[in-house]
Each structure stands twice: as C-alpha cells, then as structure tokens.
Amino acid sequence: MDASQLIQKYYRLDKLPHIWCPGCGHGILLNSLVRAIDNLGLNKDEVVVVSGIGCSSRAPGYLDFNTLHTTHGRALAFATGIKHANPNLHVIVIMGDGDSFAIGGNHLIHACRRNIDITAIVFNNNIYGMTGGQYSPTTPYGDLAATAPYGNPDSPFDICQLAKGAGATYIARGTAYHARELDKLIERGIKNKGFSLIEGLSMCPTYYGRKNRKGSAVDMLKFFKDNCIDKRLVDNNPQLGEGKILIGELYKSTRPEYTESYKAIIDKLKE
Amino acid sequence: MENKKELILNKEWCKGCWICVEFCPKQVLDMKDGKCQIVNLEDCIYCQLCEIRCPDNAIYIKTVGGNDHD
Ligand SMILES: Cc1ncc(C[n+]2csc(CCOP(=O)(O)OP(=O)(O)O)c2C)c(N)n1
Ligand code: SF4
Ligand code: SF4
Ligand code: SF4
C-alpha cells in the first residue's frame, strides 16, 4: 500500500482517496487530528469520532475508529449521549462552521456550558461548502457567497470568543498552514477534562476562494501564514497583534465536568 | 543500523493542488500533467513539510531500516 504508516494505521484505506476537492483544507486538518491521537497513544477502540453533515463531516467516514455520521447540526447531541453512556471513551466531534455555529449553535453553547468532556474541532472554511457556497455565521462582513451576491450584510462570529462566553474550558485556534502546531493544540484539547473547542481555519478554494477571488489553495494557505500570529507573541508585545488573527492556545480554565457531576449525584442517591 | 529516508509519491491519490510544490523549501517538486512530480530529489532534506500539508496523503517520507524508536 502506497501510504505512510500513520495513514495505514488510522484510515480506512478502501475509502481513499477522499471526495474533497483539490486543495480543500479539510484533509490537512484531519491529518492533524490523526497525528494528535497517535502522539497521545490512545487505544483506537476507545476513540469515537462523531460528525454532523457537510464536507467536513465526511471526515469520520475515512477514519478507522468508532465513528458516527449524524444529522446536520446535531453531532454534539449524539456525542453527549455517547459520552454519558461510556465516560471512558474519548469523544471527538468534527463539524463545519455552518454545522456547529448555524444550525447546531444551540447544541454548541450548551455543550460548552455543561463542560462535558468532549473535544470539538470546527473545520472553519467561512462558507457552506457542501451545498454550494452559501454564507455561514463565520463568513466575513462584505464577502461574497451564493446567498450574498452583493456582499454579506452580517458580521461573523468569533467562534472562540463565543465558546469562551458559553463556558468551554479549553479553547484554541490553528490553521491548515500551521498544521504541526495544530497537532499540539488538538492533543491538549483531548487531554483537557471538560469541553474543548478547537477552531481549525480551513479553506474551501472551490466556493469561498473562487467567489471572493482569494485565489488558489496555495494563496489561501499563504493568507494564514501572513495574517496569523501566536497568542504568546502578542501577550509579550500587543502591537504585534494589530490586524492579525490570533492562533495557539487562547484560553484554559477548570470547572466541574458534566458526566462526573452527574455520576456524583447517582452515587450519592445510591448511598 | 542507520535509518534511511525515502520520499514517496502516490500519484494515484494526488489531486494536483500545488501545495507541496509551493511550500517545499528546496524546490524538490514540480507539477506535470496535473500531478505532482519529484524533479530534484538530491536536494530533499526530508523535512516532511510536503507530507504534513498534503490534503490527500499522496506524498510522504518513509523510514527504512534501523529501529522505529528514533
Ligand atoms: C436539517 C438540514 N438542513 C440543511 C441541510 C443542508 N446542508 C447540508 S451541509 C450544509 C452546510 C455545510 O456547511 P458547513 O457545516 O460549514 O460544512 P462544510 O461543507 O463547509 O465543510 C447544509 C446547509 C441538511 N443536510 N440538513
Ligand atoms: S466544496 Fe469546499 S469544503 Fe467542500 S470539499 Fe470542496 S473545497 Fe472542500
Ligand atoms: S521532505 Fe521537505 S524538502 Fe523533501 S520534498 Fe518534502 S518538503 Fe521538499
Ligand atoms: S500536496 Fe498532495 S495532492 Fe497536492 S500536489 Fe502535492 S502531492 Fe498532490
């Protein structure tokens, strides 16, 4: 088989090559997740990868873990059930920006609030890729989309800020360009005992790129290279952050975890 | 025994996105007929940047021989 040991170990090889367009960022982000899981040495049978609907949500279908492809926006609801049924599992959820913050926004904020031990990775390409390039809650103001031919009149969410306000206890942002760094961010997210939200900046050259004249996949990766800066550098020198997108570990805190709190109640009532 | 590194390209999975070609620090790769090709293997420093950013798992570094615990 003409694939690296890593790919052979964690992918369903008969499902490759995947259906994503040439230069789609989702493939790069997915490999970061796989390297993170490998670095942590997790037992494959104790990992569950859950998704909703969208190009990004195709990801679990390619992976050789326990996987579940659910309905649009509801991945976190299914994942909550899985984590409750067996809190020993590492539950990882892959969602698109539309899946997680438009139709699934309510599930998202309440999963954050509950601080349930799930790692959510948002493949944010600023657009609805699967359905042909409609704008999403992360499409920048003024950008073009199939549903915004004269420019998007809505302002985007900063999804990391939103997750922080809602109560997530680990929040990080990475990009397809900074893929190595993203491995580490995902690793820490999986290790966090609580709700982790990792925003992975992805690219959709087919719709978002083409419509907005952002160029090819290469140009979009260069954009990440030139416009992102690690939060640690900005902490030391705030001027560096002006006009830049912050990447790295953005927030970490500790709060009771949902399934543990739930178990404590059950144990108490059994006494 | 010393490990030997090999640059492997799987043209069947390559979708010709140019990412590896553009970001290789040593201009080892080029594009031909819509597929990546290795044109300058002597300069490869086995940094794995192509492997890490290829969205399609079509190019990677294989380590042959030695032990796997390096
Ligand atoms: C209940 C429901 N509403 C709408 C759709 C149509 N639909 C499929 S995917 C999608 C959005 C995909 O965008 P995103 O979540 O950002 O993922 P991407 O494809 O960009 O990776 C929509 C609206 C659906 N499948 N189900
Ligand atoms: S439409 Fe966009 S998000 Fe979907 S596979 Fe193609 S490039 Fe990726
Ligand atoms: S390993 Fe590094 S030097 Fe060699 S082809 Fe890949 S990116 Fe270029
Ligand atoms: S990055 Fe991968 S898919 Fe893109 S041109 Fe290189 S080998 Fe082909």
Side-chain angles (χ1 to χ4, degrees):
Chain A
M1 171 49 64
D2 232 355
S4 70
Q5 282 183 351
L6 190 86
I7 302 302
Q8 296 197 39
K9 183 166 175 195
Y10 294 106
Y11 276 74
R12 293 175 181 150
L13 294 172
D14 58 327
K15 297 281 193 293
L16 294 178
H18 48 58
I19 56 142
W20 293 321
C21 307
C24 176
H26 293 351
I28 307 178
L29 301 184
L30 187 59
N31 280 342
S32 260
L33 168 63
V34 164
R35 286 191 298 270
I37 290 173
D38 191 58
N39 292 342
L40 291 170
L42 304 183
N43 176 343
K44 273 162 85 169
D45 292 332
E46 290 172 4
V47 174
V48 189
V49 187
V50 186
S51 69
I53 298 289
C55 294
S56 30
S57 289
R58 291 282 188 133
Y62 300 115
L63 297 177
D64 188 23
F65 300 107
N66 302 291
T67 60
L68 190 65
H69 191 182
T70 72
T71 55
H72 194 32
R74 313 299 179 223
L76 282 169
F78 286 88
T80 298
I82 295 167
K83 186 72 188 177
H84 251 316
N86 185 351
N88 293 322
L89 295 171
H90 299 279
V91 181
I92 295 164
V93 178
I94 296 175
M95 297 173 286
D97 39 296
D99 199 36
S100 57
F101 280 85
I103 189 170
N106 225 325
H107 295 295
L108 196 286
I109 56 176
H110 292 287
C112 292
R113 180 171 66 89
R114 282 173 159 169
N115 194 33
I116 185 163
D117 185 18
I118 289 173
T119 305
I121 308 175
V122 179
F123 286 12
N124 181 7
N125 56 11
N126 310 100
I127 204 91
Y128 288 4
M130 177 165 268
T131 44
Q134 297 81 5
Y135 64 80
S136 87
T138 64
T139 305
Y141 179 81
D143 273 6
L144 301 175
T147 41
Y150 309 109
N152 178 20
D154 293 337
S155 295
F157 277 141
D158 178 330
I159 65 183
C160 290
Q161 291 283 5
L162 200 151
K164 186 178 172 194
T169 47
Y170 175 90
I171 300 168
R173 183 186 290 122
T175 87
Y177 178 81
H178 305 86
R180 273 263 198 243
E181 292 88 334
L182 183 59
D183 303 356
K184 293 283 160 245
L185 297 174
I186 297 175
E187 269 179 62
R188 283 188 229 136
I190 294 173
K191 276 201 272 184
N192 175 45
K193 192 96 192 101
F195 192 79
S196 303
L197 182 117
I198 297 135
E199 177 184 7
L201 298 180
S202 186
M203 66 272 190
C204 171
T206 302
Y207 292 111
Y208 180 72
R210 195 177 289 162
K211 274 212 161 53
N212 289 289
R213 297 179 197 272
K214 302 260 174 179
S216 62
V218 167
D219 295 322
M220 294 171 93
L221 284 178
K222 282 185 181 160
F223 174 86
F224 294 146
K225 179 180 180 222
D226 296 337
N227 290 282
C228 296
I229 185 162
D230 195 290
K231 180 178 177 292
R232 287 168 298 186
L233 294 173
V234 176
D235 287 343
N236 290 330
N237 185 352
Q239 275 183 337
L240 290 177
E242 273 170 32
K244 300 274 186 196
I245 302 166
L246 285 190
I247 55 173
E249 188 176 307
L250 303 183
Y251 180 74
K252 190 157 172 35
S253 66
T254 317
R255 261 182 339 104
E257 191 274 330
Y258 187 63
T259 57
E260 281 180 355
S261 301
Y262 215 96
K263 183 173 178 298
I265 293 171
I266 292 171
D267 289 348
K268 199 166 166 209
L269 293 175
K270 275 188 187 157
E271 272 168 19
Chain B
M1 186 176 124
E2 205 176 303
N3 289 345
K4 195 172 155 296
K5 291 194 191 294
E6 246 181 85
L7 176 65
I8 314 268
L9 171 66
N10 176 358
K11 285 199 186 182
E12 267 178 51
W13 286 1
C14 171
K15 292 180 186 158
C17 71
W18 286 87
I19 290 174
C20 61
V21 179
E22 192 69 34
F23 293 104
C24 169
K26 294 288 174 187
Q27 281 87 46
V28 173
L29 310 167
D30 205 347
M31 191 64 63
K32 188 162 185 257
D33 302 327
K35 299 275 179 186
C36 172
Q37 65 167 353
I38 302 169
V39 290
N40 191 13
L41 186 60
E42 317 79 71
D43 285 351
C44 179
I45 52 171
Y46 303 98
C47 64
Q48 283 186 303
L49 284 176
C50 50
E51 175 175 347
I52 301 246
R53 296 210 188 93
C54 173
D56 285 277
N57 309 315
I59 189 162
Y60 64 97
I61 303 295
K62 185 176 176 180
T63 307
V64 228
N67 61 52
D68 327 322
H69 305 290
D70 61 331

